[in-house]
Amino acid sequence: MPKPAAPHPTAEDLARRQREISVSEFFLKNRHLLGFDSPRRALLTAVKEAVDNALDACEEAGVLPEIAVEIVQTAPDRFEITVTDNGPGIVRAQIPKIFAKLLYGSKFHRLRMSRGQQGIGISAAAMYGQLTTGRPALIRSRTAKARAAHEIEVTMDTRANKPVILQDRETEWRPEFPAAPAAEGGSPEPPAVSEHGTAVTIALEGAYARGRLSVDEYLQQCAIVNPHLRLHYRLALLPKKGEADAGSEADAATAADAAGEWRRWRRAVEELPAAPIEIKPHPHGVELGVLIQMLKHTSARTVRSALAQDFSRVSDRIALEVCARAGVDPKASPARVAHRESEAIFKALNEVKLMRPPTDCLSPIGEERIVAGLRKEVEADFYTAATREPAVYRGRPFQVEAGLACARPGAAEDIAADEPARLLRFANRVPLLYAAGACAITRAVTSVNWKAYGLTQPKGALPLGPLVILVHVASVWVPFTSESKDAIAHYDEIVREIVFALQECGRRLALFLHRRHREADAARKRGHIEKYLPHLAGGLRAILNLDDREEEKVRRKLVELLERSRGGPA
Amino acid sequence: MPKPAAPHPTAEDLARRQREISVSEFFLKNRHLLGFDSPRRALLTAVKEAVDNALDACEEAGVLPEIAVEIVQTAPDRFEITVTDNGPGIVRAQIPKIFAKLLYGSKFHRLRMSRGQQGIGISAAAMYGQLTTGRPALIRSRTAKARAAHEIEVTMDTRANKPVILQDRETEWRPEFPAAPAAEGGSPEPPAVSEHGTAVTIALEGAYARGRLSVDEYLQQCAIVNPHLRLHYRLALLPKKGEADAGSEADAATAADAAGEWRRWRRAVEELPAAPIEIKPHPHGVELGVLIQMLKHTSARTVRSALAQDFSRVSDRIALEVCARAGVDPKASPARVAHRESEAIFKALNEVKLMRPPTDCLSPIGEERIVAGLRKEVEADFYTAATREPAVYRGRPFQVEAGLACARPGAAEDIAADEPARLLRFANRVPLLYAAGACAITRAVTSVNWKAYGLTQPKGALPLGPLVILVHVASVWVPFTSESKDAIAHYDEIVREIVFALQECGRRLALFLHRRHREADAARKRGHIEKYLPHLAGGLRAILNLDDREEEKVRRKLVELLERSRGGPA
């Protein structure tokens, strides 16, 4: 009997097709979620992940960061990027997992501000490199002077999300950083060799373009919010066709890139930012399901001690109160708590009065440093910054900072007819370049009524004028809208804090603009007085038959009178 | 000696903190990525995932789908949703993994159009339910009349992304669907009991609101693009405070909801859509890294047979040609191919001329059914639809369909002064409700020049008027911008095809509007003729001294003459 064509599958047939999907298979197919959707963005994302990791490692180990970023074009659509840092280095056994396993790291489970938080970034960059060039990632790392450096080539088995080590050898490698010529009024920086640090090299398919959303823009903004960073950058592009005809300024820059000269950002400060302290979860940010899991997995022997030990702001006394309210025996074993009891504890935890979570888990940039960063970057007449007090969303502390720089602010009219303000977005000191439209920062900035501060603003848009607006959101867990970490999700609490910070800056801007306006007004009035008073005095002289001295006296008295009447300097 | 306060950690300290992150831990912390960021959206997302799964299962097993969606409010912020289908059922061993393990399923690894593709959706809904209520998911399923049904309660161990079975028993359960009263001119539908099917019940924190972005809107749009679906829907809300004062229409609806009556959508067609056929990857959509992995893991014994066997559109002859171009021995073992050789094969595969991938992996709705769906939904004077030929992005087939419904189209002026058109977005027959701004469909619709078709359109926005625009993108792999699958990423090829489909509809609309305009014009002219001709005839009668019969004849001749001169019916 012939088999019927394509019979419909049964439940058993369907069952045979079910299988596990590894997280690397998932993200390989969905690489646009990780920021690798176009060659240009891929290049930026790879550099960004490597630099963010380097900065985190340096700061955690208490090392003033020095980082070198090298991008070498090896074919029209291929680049080799190397990011070298002077951080603490990585012990040999961890290297393969950190660079060739998605969802692996130290930052995910900790409540503490850091740039990385997902355990995806750098291994995703290596995975993308492997996908597009078939090449392994090369990592060199040294943890101390006394130790040898390790040089490891690693790829990912994407079917299992596991590293495959291709090379693993000891070398004499040390991180080296290029010398810098003397800046104006400064001294030259000698080439530096560090006793410890890490360098990662990834070959990938990419595209380089100058300007907005470029690696250059990212590094520049990085330098603004990390004034303690010494950064070196070298871009070596293949010569383009027809390069010989070049003559313009842009072409000169291209020529420099083709030559591959090192550029650098110096440190503006020589101290590290305050190190953020890890905190425990705050009960008001813990969902019922998480509470149940925490009680199940706690190392504490009683419910009371589990609450006091595993949560932030729950003292032994409060733990006792919670148990009493919930009608749960404080000496009960946490693993044996019934569902109804968990619900009761959950309810009680949300009813008792608790201090807000501690905020030393955050390390804001600070108003002074924001203004300093803006001064370095933006030529303007007015600078201000506001760092808000820490706040809480879903039990997680966060803190918002805003900065403003305003050029040519002579009069409000002056600012009006221009381009939209330039918005610089940062989360945990990392510049956010893509997906501005989806970001809570953009929503907050456009929802502020900038007209109240003397600016022009199209409805629901950025204010117009030669203005730079900077917003920094720092949190133990920044709620990004996607794994590529380009935009912050719209939590009301966060949007509100951003608005408050911007309004604080806006009010100061308004005062400044108002004063400027008044001064311009006064100058104009004074002009009128100076123009017409002599004629008035001359008229009075003719009528009253005054002599020269008397006329001069009358003129002077009139000036005094008018100056007083308009409230100017007596 | 006292220990110094908080010394900086060494590389070894840092290494001890590194650990694996389970994919469920990741998504638990990032649940907004899965569409569970607000209570309202969470309710919609959970229903959507369950219904999408039910539809996929029915269609795959060749069953005309009947689905019942029941939403019962159990507390002000808690709901229990149950989705029952008459699909093939799920074998017992698979149930826990399907509902309590992220990244598990049958659709991810297949190139074939289906609603689900990630292996995340329904287990994410169960995980969210567990997170917010601590409750397990309850699944009942029967695969055939002869078999007992299984009733399983399962939660997820989110630290390990593994199911934990709480209950597992056999029952006599059968999927039951409520009877429907007779529709106008139709017969009543009796209550149905199926011999096989699945019901999933999830308790979760949620919020219900009518209108845009509601479960109701989702189900309604679902019925439009799935005319072969019989759908039942019951919403039982707790009475609100002050409900007694109710009197308006909305309150009447609320009262019905509180009573929890079943609403239903009947089938418009009694046939299933054509079943899509699974295809192999097309070489032009395979990246170098994937090629290397495929060669490594192939079951074929030679490179030549690996190419011919594992790829779409690579015949044995083409495989041989590719090997020749690449300078690789066609008889070589695929696992032993060197990196340089893989690169050469990759290059050769991209140089040889290949047929485009087969397109029977897609199952478009079809122009006729789109128009039928729109007719059911939208009261309008003009309907049209266009189904494009399949196209390819990154080696993956996709197909675009568009539909238009236009009400009161008498004259272009009529349409102008109104609200923006209503845009219905669909991907693989699933309505997309959230994130419209980020979607390739929105970009395509706003980039079409609707003015050319007689509509008013603000710059870069949707056209205005009583207009419904429907766009359906079908693909073996829809590139969503996030795991919550609300918006399609901006691939140029996809945007272009959507634009073409819309332009096709737009041209037909323009013809229709033009004809209408001309007819209105003609009617106006005929009015003039009918008004003035009797006077003209009367004047001629007086001048020429005609009798009644002669005057009537002159009048008739004049009418004929004028009708002919303006090209009207002779």
Side-chain angles (χ1 to χ4, degrees):
Chain A
M1 231 172 71
K3 213 174 146 197
H8 286 298
T10 63
E12 287 73 20
D13 296 331
L14 294 177
R16 274 189 291 278
R17 292 181 195 157
Q18 305 281 357
R19 72 179 179 93
E20 200 164 332
I21 301 147
S22 87
V23 67
S24 42
E25 286 177 307
F26 176 76
F27 280 119
L28 203 61
K29 225 168 163 180
N30 280 315
R31 59 190 166 87
H32 57 280
L33 299 181
L34 301 174
F36 294 99
D37 48 353
S38 74
R40 190 180 176 207
R41 190 174 181 187
L43 186 68
L44 169 66
T45 303
V47 168
K48 187 177 159 174
E49 298 296 352
V51 171
D52 289 354
N53 271 17
L55 280 168
D56 272 349
C58 288
E59 289 175 13
E60 186 155 6
V63 177
L64 261 181
E66 176 151 20
I67 295 176
V69 176
E70 203 169 359
I71 301 179
V72 179
Q73 190 176 25
T74 56
D77 62 348
R78 275 209 192 173
F79 292 81
E80 197 176 270
I81 65 166
T82 300
V83 174
T84 308
D85 68 52
N86 65 342
I90 303 169
V91 301
R92 192 194 140 280
Q94 294 296 323
I95 292 174
K97 288 190 206 155
I98 288 178
F99 292 92
K101 181 178 178 61
L102 296 179
L103 291 179
Y104 188 84
S106 62
K107 302 167 197 167
F108 182 86
H109 292 100
R110 295 163 67 186
L111 284 175
R112 176 182 180 279
M113 170 182 166
S114 59
R115 292 171 185 79
Q117 58 184 32
Q118 305 182 137
I120 290 183
I122 190 65
S123 41
M127 181 176 82
Y128 173 80
Q130 176 184 335
L131 173 71
T132 53
T133 70
R135 290 288 171 193
L138 165 68
I139 299 99
R140 286 168 296 179
S141 192
R142 182 180 208 113
T143 58
K145 190 173 179 176
R147 306 261 166 80
H150 289 280
E151 183 169 298
I152 291 180
E153 280 183 29
V154 65
T155 58
M156 185 191 291
D157 174 355
T158 54
R159 302 202 175 195
N161 187 31
K162 275 186 186 152
V164 178
I165 299 169
L166 304 186
Q167 286 278 0
D168 181 354
R169 53 181 171 253
E170 296 196 350
T171 74
E172 281 308 300
W173 176 83
R174 277 183 173 77
E176 285 179 26
F177 302 93
E184 272 179 74
S187 49
E189 284 165 12
V193 179
S194 172
E195 293 300 339
H196 46 76
T198 303
V200 53
T201 302
I202 293 171
L204 49 75
E205 206 178 284
Y208 175 80
R210 207 173 301 285
R212 242 176 60 73
L213 306 180
S214 68
V215 173
D216 309 46
E217 190 189 24
Y218 163 75
L219 293 177
Q220 186 185 38
Q221 293 193 19
C222 225
I224 294 180
V225 287
N226 296 287
H228 59 293
L229 163 66
R230 181 151 59 204
L231 181 61
H232 309 263
Y233 174 38
R234 175 174 174 259
L235 176 69
L237 298 177
L238 293 175
K240 277 186 204 153
K241 282 178 192 169
E243 197 86 62
D245 312 335
S248 73
E249 237 180 89
D251 290 321
T254 310
D257 292 336
E261 285 160 19
W262 282 100
R263 295 181 243 170
R264 61 219 13 104
W265 284 267
R266 280 162 216 280
R267 290 200 183 99
V269 297
E270 293 289 331
E271 308 93 50
L272 281 166
I277 312 295
E278 184 178 352
I279 60 166
K280 287 171 192 157
H282 190 273
H284 291 177
V286 166
E287 272 127 339
L288 175 57
V290 172
L291 172 70
I292 292 172
Q293 294 265 344
M294 285 176 74
L295 288 176
K296 205 166 147 193
H297 294 279
T298 182
S299 64
R301 305 248 298 271
T302 67
V303 171
R304 177 185 179 176
S305 59
L307 293 176
Q309 162 194 314
D310 296 347
F311 288 97
S312 164
R313 302 307 195 195
V314 178
S315 65
D316 200 55
R317 191 189 54 72
I318 290 177
L320 207 56
E321 186 190 335
V322 166
C323 289
R325 272 180 188 249
V328 173
D329 177 6
K331 294 209 187 81
S333 161
R336 285 161 183 275
V337 164
H339 183 271
R340 211 182 31 234
E341 291 174 315
S342 301
E343 283 219 55
I345 294 172
F346 180 72
K347 204 160 155 262
L349 272 174
N350 278 286
E351 283 168 0
V352 292
K353 216 175 146 56
L354 296 173
M355 282 178 67
R356 281 151 54 113
T359 53
D360 49 5
C361 53
L362 303 175
S363 174
I365 302 169
E367 299 182 356
E368 217 170 289
R369 287 189 178 190
I370 290 176
V371 167
L374 283 173
R375 268 187 205 285
K376 244 175 49 175
E377 162 68 5
V378 188
E379 211 172 296
D381 299 297
F382 173 77
Y383 302 88
T384 190
T387 296
R388 299 274 308 165
E389 287 297 305
V392 179
Y393 85 93
R394 284 207 179 152
R396 293 169 187 153
F398 75 99
Q399 191 162 10
V400 167
E401 305 180 274
L404 265 188
C406 184
R408 293 190 292 115
E413 291 82 9
D414 230 31
I415 299 179
D418 217 325
E419 293 288 292
R422 185 170 166 218
L423 175 58
L424 308 181
R425 299 176 293 131
F426 299 92
N428 287 5
R429 294 175 185 260
V430 177
L432 311 180
L433 300 189
Y434 278 85
C439 188
I441 293 178
T442 307
R443 176 180 290 188
V445 173
T446 55
S447 74
V448 166
N449 177 16
W450 292 96
K451 286 180 186 166
Y453 309 126
L455 296 172
T456 306
Q457 180 186 23
K459 208 184 160 189
L462 291 173
L464 305 179
L467 201 71
V468 172
I469 302 172
L470 178 154
V471 176
H472 178 227
V473 176
S475 180
V476 295
W477 182 263
V478 181
F480 290 109
T481 59
S482 120
E483 288 86 346
S484 61
K485 303 196 288 181
D486 294 303
I488 301 172
H490 296 149
Y491 279 92
D492 288 344
E493 298 91 332
I494 297 178
V495 172
R496 202 182 310 130
E497 279 295 317
I498 300 172
V499 167
F500 288 155
L502 290 168
Q503 286 173 337
E504 212 170 312
C505 293
R507 278 190 294 271
R508 291 187 211 145
L509 176 66
L511 280 176
F512 174 76
L513 292 179
H514 185 67
R515 197 169 60 231
R516 269 289 169 104
H517 197 71
R518 237 178 36 204
E519 280 170 16
D521 228 43
R524 207 165 51 238
K525 274 201 191 138
R526 183 192 290 263
H528 287 306
I529 291 169
E530 278 167 6
K531 194 167 169 188
Y532 296 111
L533 264 192
H535 298 281
L536 188 55
L540 285 172
R541 175 187 187 152
I543 292 164
L544 303 174
N545 203 14
L546 306 177
D547 62 20
D548 277 5
R549 207 180 45 85
E550 283 169 325
E551 184 194 338
E552 173 54 24
K553 191 177 159 194
V554 162
R555 204 196 54 76
R556 214 170 52 238
K557 292 236 166 201
L558 278 169
V559 168
E560 271 172 33
L561 187 75
L562 288 166
E563 289 273 359
R564 245 199 324 274
S565 78
R566 67 162 182 82
Chain B
M1 231 173 73
K3 215 174 142 195
H8 286 297
T10 63
E12 286 73 21
D13 296 330
L14 294 177
R16 274 188 293 276
R17 292 181 194 157
Q18 305 280 357
R19 74 179 178 94
E20 201 164 332
I21 301 147
S22 87
V23 67
S24 41
E25 287 177 307
F26 176 75
F27 280 120
L28 203 60
K29 225 168 163 178
N30 280 315
R31 61 192 166 85
H32 56 280
L33 299 181
L34 302 174
F36 293 98
D37 48 352
S38 74
R40 190 179 177 207
R41 189 175 182 186
L43 186 68
L44 169 65
T45 302
V47 169
K48 186 177 161 175
E49 297 296 352
V51 171
D52 289 354
N53 270 17
L55 281 168
D56 271 349
C58 288
E59 290 175 13
E60 186 154 7
V63 176
L64 261 180
E66 175 151 21
I67 296 176
V69 176
E70 202 170 358
I71 302 179
V72 179
Q73 191 176 24
T74 56
D77 61 348
R78 275 208 193 173
F79 292 81
E80 196 176 271
I81 65 167
T82 300
V83 174
T84 308
D85 68 53
N86 64 342
I90 303 168
V91 301
R92 192 195 141 280
Q94 293 297 322
I95 292 175
K97 288 190 210 156
I98 289 178
F99 292 92
K101 181 178 177 62
L102 296 179
L103 292 179
Y104 187 85
S106 63
K107 302 167 196 166
F108 182 87
H109 292 100
R110 294 163 68 187
L111 284 176
R112 177 182 181 278
M113 171 181 164
S114 58
R115 292 172 184 79
Q117 58 185 33
Q118 304 180 139
I120 289 183
I122 191 64
S123 42
M127 182 175 81
Y128 173 80
Q130 176 184 336
L131 173 70
T132 53
T133 70
R135 291 287 171 194
L138 166 68
I139 300 98
R140 285 168 297 178
S141 192
R142 183 179 208 113
T143 58
K145 190 175 181 173
R147 305 262 166 80
H150 289 279
E151 184 168 297
I152 292 181
E153 281 183 27
V154 65
T155 59
M156 185 190 291
D157 174 356
T158 53
R159 302 201 175 196
N161 187 30
K162 275 185 185 152
V164 178
I165 298 170
L166 303 186
Q167 287 278 1
D168 181 353
R169 52 181 173 254
E170 296 197 349
T171 74
E172 281 309 300
W173 176 84
R174 277 184 173 75
E176 285 178 27
F177 302 93
E184 274 180 71
S187 49
E189 284 164 12
V193 179
S194 171
E195 293 300 339
H196 45 77
T198 303
V200 53
T201 302
I202 294 171
L204 49 75
E205 207 179 283
Y208 175 79
R210 207 173 302 284
R212 242 176 59 73
L213 305 179
S214 67
V215 173
D216 309 48
E217 189 189 24
Y218 163 74
L219 292 177
Q220 186 185 38
Q221 292 193 20
C222 225
I224 294 179
V225 286
N226 295 287
H228 58 292
L229 163 66
R230 181 151 59 204
L231 181 61
H232 309 264
Y233 174 39
R234 175 175 175 259
L235 176 69
L237 298 177
L238 294 175
K240 276 187 205 154
K241 283 177 190 169
E243 197 88 62
D245 312 335
S248 72
E249 236 181 272
D251 289 320
T254 310
D257 292 336
E261 286 160 19
W262 283 100
R263 296 180 244 171
R264 58 211 26 95
W265 285 266
R266 280 162 216 282
R267 289 199 185 99
V269 298
E270 293 288 331
E271 307 94 49
L272 280 166
I277 311 295
E278 184 177 352
I279 60 165
K280 287 171 192 158
H282 190 273
H284 291 176
V286 165
E287 273 126 340
L288 175 58
V290 172
L291 172 69
I292 291 172
Q293 293 264 344
M294 285 176 76
L295 288 176
K296 203 166 148 193
H297 294 279
T298 182
S299 64
R301 306 249 297 271
T302 67
V303 171
R304 176 185 180 178
S305 59
L307 293 176
Q309 162 194 315
D310 296 346
F311 287 97
S312 162
R313 301 308 196 195
V314 178
S315 65
D316 200 55
R317 191 188 54 73
I318 291 178
L320 206 59
E321 185 191 335
V322 167
C323 289
R325 272 178 187 251
V328 173
D329 178 7
K331 293 209 187 83
S333 160
R336 286 163 183 276
V337 164
H339 183 270
R340 211 182 31 237
E341 291 174 316
S342 302
E343 282 219 56
I345 294 172
F346 179 73
K347 202 157 158 265
L349 272 174
N350 278 286
E351 283 169 359
V352 293
K353 214 175 147 55
L354 296 173
M355 282 178 68
R356 281 150 55 112
T359 54
D360 50 5
C361 52
L362 303 175
S363 173
I365 303 169
E367 299 182 357
E368 218 169 289
R369 287 187 177 193
I370 290 177
V371 167
L374 283 173
R375 268 186 205 284
K376 245 176 46 175
E377 163 67 6
V378 188
E379 210 173 297
D381 300 297
F382 173 77
Y383 301 88
T384 189
T387 296
R388 300 274 307 164
E389 288 297 305
V392 179
Y393 84 93
R394 282 204 182 157
R396 293 168 186 154
F398 74 100
Q399 191 162 10
V400 168
E401 305 180 276
L404 266 189
C406 185
R408 294 190 291 117
E413 290 82 9
D414 230 30
I415 300 181
D418 217 325
E419 294 289 292
R422 184 169 166 218
L423 174 59
L424 308 181
R425 299 176 292 130
F426 298 93
N428 286 6
R429 294 175 185 261
V430 177
L432 311 180
L433 300 189
Y434 278 84
C439 187
I441 293 178
T442 308
R443 175 179 292 187
V445 173
T446 55
S447 74
V448 166
N449 178 16
W450 293 96
K451 287 181 184 164
Y453 310 126
L455 296 172
T456 305
Q457 180 185 24
K459 207 185 160 189
L462 291 172
L464 304 179
L467 200 70
V468 173
I469 303 171
L470 178 154
V471 176
H472 179 226
V473 175
S475 179
V476 294
W477 182 262
V478 181
F480 289 110
T481 58
S482 120
E483 288 86 346
S484 61
K485 303 197 287 180
D486 296 301
I488 300 172
H490 296 149
Y491 279 93
D492 288 344
E493 298 90 333
I494 297 177
V495 172
R496 201 181 311 131
E497 278 296 316
I498 301 172
V499 167
F500 288 155
L502 290 167
Q503 286 173 337
E504 212 170 313
C505 292
R507 278 190 295 271
R508 291 187 212 146
L509 176 66
L511 280 177
F512 174 75
L513 292 179
H514 185 67
R515 197 170 59 231
R516 268 289 168 105
H517 197 71
R518 238 178 36 203
E519 279 169 17
D521 228 43
R524 207 163 52 238
K525 274 198 190 139
R526 183 193 290 260
H528 288 305
I529 291 168
E530 277 167 6
K531 193 165 167 189
Y532 297 113
L533 264 191
H535 299 280
L536 188 55
L540 285 173
R541 174 188 187 151
I543 293 164
L544 302 175
N545 204 14
L546 305 177
D547 62 21
D548 277 5
R549 207 179 45 84
E550 281 169 327
E551 185 194 337
E552 173 53 26
K553 190 176 158 194
V554 163
R555 204 195 55 74
R556 216 171 50 239
K557 292 236 167 203
L558 279 169
V559 168
E560 270 172 36
L561 187 75
L562 287 166
E563 289 273 359
R564 246 199 324 274
S565 80
R566 66 163 183 81

